């Protein structure tokens, strides 16, 4: 005797929403298309202070440390907002949180165009950083609704929105020259509003299960865990070494790129006697290389388990940072025929030739690591992915002041690369210690 429900009874259980719901392929396409646009706009907004550095330092009479703190404020606020926004995206839907964060940016962009005092720019920078919660919300959104078979490629395409920094490098100097630097922040209001409108019209969150979809709707449901119980669960998850195993190297690569993207225009201008506009254009290939590496790393991680790739990536980046750390110097040798002197100063083309492969490697590492995070912790993407973004943002916010202070104390223009070299060694030592503990653990 069959207990299957009649076809007519099953048909009545289909809700009108199901009939109007977009097919999964269309939904995944919208997610993959619109989310990187939001990511790129957030990054482009973060480059405002870096590209307009000459005008800001002149009008506000800022020193190096004060300007570095101004660069750090969006990254600090964005880091602190990442975990809460990822949690909100998991609970209420990534589209809603991304939309709210994009709209939150708009009044602060307007404020930057009209601010007069340093404190106002700091507060506006913090507002831009809070809007960067869209990055964490978008990560959860893409992980949940993107194509599952090509999750790495979808996440790589999303993270390739980092090329938005290059968009800022390209457009802001032109607008600043033509209409004045205070018009440049207002330039972003239109595309931010446009992308927010597209998200509102075409994207959708994962629909909750219909109320009458289960035959056991009348059964008693377990009570929701208390706040203390949720905090204990969170603490246990954060104490798990597997969470940090992938989040730590990702945080270094993400934070280093983020800080370099904001610091490079000023560094190139000072070191090679370029205008800030020309230096910003010279920095575009680095951001494009990181974006391309993100897509390639995610695509490759869909096909193979690239768990050991992070070691090779870190080793290659370490070599590049070692070479970039060399300042101009003279070598004098007392020979039998008299003293011989050699002078070394890295040419601009050599400096950029090192940055390009390092950018590709950093992108490869980020793309493959995020795919591994999705594969190992797909159910906790809001926690682990949000933690990686938080750590990366905090590391990035620390770097601009450290770069400036290192240059002033050591008198070396390459002190920033020296600090990144030391930080990567510390990261590798932590990874090695975790690897040794993991192998020594009884199975």
């Amino acid at each position: 005797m069959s207990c299957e429900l009649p076809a007519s009874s099953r048909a009545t259980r289909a809700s009108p929403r199901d009939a109007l719901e977009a097919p999964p392929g269309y939904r995944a396409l919208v997610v993959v298309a619109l989310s990187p646009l939001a990511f790129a706009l957030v990054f482009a907004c973060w480059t405002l202070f870096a590209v307009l550095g000459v005008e800001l330092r002149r009008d506000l009479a800022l020193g190096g440390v004060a300007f570095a703190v101004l660069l750090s404020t969006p990254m600090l606020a964005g880091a602190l907002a990442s975990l809460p926004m990822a949690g909100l995206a998991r609970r209420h839907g990534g589209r809603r949180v991304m939309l709210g964060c994009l709209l939150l940016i708009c009044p602060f962009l307007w404020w930057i165009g009209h601010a007069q005092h340093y404190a106002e720019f700091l507060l506006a920078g913090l507002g831009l950083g809070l809007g960067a919660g869209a990055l964490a919300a978008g990560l959860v959104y893409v992980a949940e609704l993107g194509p599952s078979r090509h999750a790495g490629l979808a996440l790589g395409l999303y993270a390739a929105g980092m090329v938005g920094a290059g968009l800022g490098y390209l457009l802001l100097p032109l607008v600043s020259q033509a209409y004045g630097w205070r018009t440049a922040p207002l330039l972003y209001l239109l595309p931010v509003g446009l992308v927010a409108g597209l998200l509102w019209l075409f994207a959708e969150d994962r629909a909750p299960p219909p109320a009458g979809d289960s035959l056991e709707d009348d059964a008693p449901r377990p009570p929701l865990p208390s706040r203390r119980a949720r905090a204990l669960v969170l603490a246990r998850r954060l104490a798990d070494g597997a969470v940090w195993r992938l989040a730590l190297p990702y945080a270094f690569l993400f934070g280093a790129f983020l800080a370099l993207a904001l610091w490079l225009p000023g560094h190139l201008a000072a070191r090679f006697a370029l205008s800030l506009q020309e230096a910003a254009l010279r920095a575009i290939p680095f951001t494009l290389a990181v974006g391309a590496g993100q897509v390639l790393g995610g695509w490759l991680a869909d096909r193979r388990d690239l768990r050991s790739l992070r070691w090779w990536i870190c080793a290659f980046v370490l070599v590049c940072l070692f070479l970039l750390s060399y300042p101009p110097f003279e070598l004098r040798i007392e020979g039998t025929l008299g003293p011989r002197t050699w002078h070394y100063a890295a040419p601009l083309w050599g400096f950029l030739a090192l940055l390009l492969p390092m950018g590709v490697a950093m992108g490869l590492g980020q793309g493959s690591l995020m795919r591994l995070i999705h594969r190992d912790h797909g159910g906790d993407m809001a926690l682990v992915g949000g933690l990686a973004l938080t750590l990366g943002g905090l590391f990035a916010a620390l770097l601009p002041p450290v770069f400036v202070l290192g240059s002033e104390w050591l008198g070396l223009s390459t002190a920033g690369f020296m600090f990144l070299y030391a930080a990567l060694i510390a990261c590798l030592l932590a990874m090695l210690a975790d690897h040794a503990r993991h192998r020594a653990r009884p199975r």
Side-chain angles (χ1 to χ4, degrees), residues 46-405:
W46 279 13
T47 62
L48 275 169
F49 295 147
V51 181
L52 302 177
V54 171
E55 292 85 352
L56 287 172
R57 296 184 70 167
R58 181 192 63 223
D59 291 357
L60 300 176
L62 298 180
V65 176
F67 182 66
V69 171
L70 184 61
L71 289 181
S72 296
T73 50
M75 295 182 283
L76 177 61
L80 297 177
S82 291
L83 267 176
M85 292 300 177
L88 286 175
R90 184 177 184 182
R91 177 176 297 183
H92 301 291
R95 181 187 70 97
R96 293 185 181 92
V97 179
M98 290 177 69
L99 187 58
C101 289
L102 287 176
L103 294 177
L104 178 63
I105 290 176
C106 294
F108 292 102
L109 288 172
W110 181 89
W111 194 8
I112 291 173
H114 295 81
Q116 299 294 331
H117 305 287
Y118 180 62
E120 293 182 87
F121 284 98
L122 286 177
L123 292 175
L126 290 173
L128 290 182
L130 291 176
L135 305 183
L139 180 65
V140 176
Y141 186 54
V142 173
E144 286 185 348
L145 296 182
S148 57
R149 287 181 55 210
H150 305 288
L153 179 60
L155 291 168
L157 286 169
Y158 171 68
M162 291 178 177
V163 301
L167 177 68
Y169 293 160
L170 184 64
L171 294 181
L172 289 179
L174 300 177
V175 175
S176 178
Q177 288 179 355
Y179 304 103
W181 72 267
R182 289 192 176 274
T183 308
L186 306 180
L187 168 73
Y188 286 132
L189 288 174
L190 180 60
V192 168
L194 178 61
V195 172
L198 292 174
L199 280 171
W200 179 64
L201 288 173
F202 297 106
E204 59 183 23
D205 290 308
R206 185 183 298 277
D213 211 34
S214 172
L215 296 176
E216 301 178 357
D217 282 337
D218 296 331
R221 298 185 179 183
L224 293 175
S226 64
R227 182 175 300 179
R228 181 180 178 184
R230 291 197 300 268
L232 290 175
V233 171
L234 177 61
R236 282 197 296 268
R237 292 292 294 122
L238 291 177
D240 185 3
V243 171
W244 299 88
R245 193 168 297 130
L246 299 175
L248 187 62
Y250 182 89
F252 172 84
L253 295 172
F254 175 69
F257 163 74
L258 188 55
L260 286 176
L262 299 184
W263 180 64
L264 270 178
H267 175 75
L268 290 173
R271 183 172 176 180
F272 298 102
L274 304 174
S275 68
L276 190 60
Q277 289 77 13
E278 185 180 357
L281 292 176
R282 299 279 188 173
I284 289 178
F286 174 69
T287 63
L288 295 179
V290 175
Q294 291 264 16
V295 178
L296 181 59
W299 178 74
L300 289 174
D302 279 331
R303 284 151 177 76
R304 299 186 62 180
D305 191 326
L306 300 179
R307 209 166 297 271
S308 62
L309 181 65
R310 67 186 189 274
W311 297 98
W312 295 101
I313 291 291
C314 289
F316 180 78
V317 172
L318 191 69
V319 172
C320 293
L321 289 173
F322 177 79
L323 296 175
L324 290 169
S325 298
Y326 263 96
F329 66 89
E330 282 190 355
L331 179 64
R332 178 185 173 92
I333 298 177
E334 295 290 341
T336 56
L337 301 179
R340 299 179 64 90
T341 304
W342 288 273
H343 177 76
Y344 169 80
L348 177 60
W349 64 266
F351 183 86
L352 297 177
L354 271 176
L355 276 181
L356 199 62
M358 187 178 79
V360 174
M362 293 172 74
L364 274 171
Q366 292 177 68
S368 60
L369 283 168
M370 190 52 70
R371 179 62 178 98
L372 288 173
I373 290 175
H374 181 268
R375 182 179 298 164
D376 294 353
H377 309 281
D380 281 332
M381 199 65 187
L383 173 63
V384 185
L387 176 66
L389 292 178
T390 297
L391 294 175
L394 291 175
F395 180 58
L398 173 69
L399 291 178
V402 169
F403 289 171
V404 173
L405 292 174

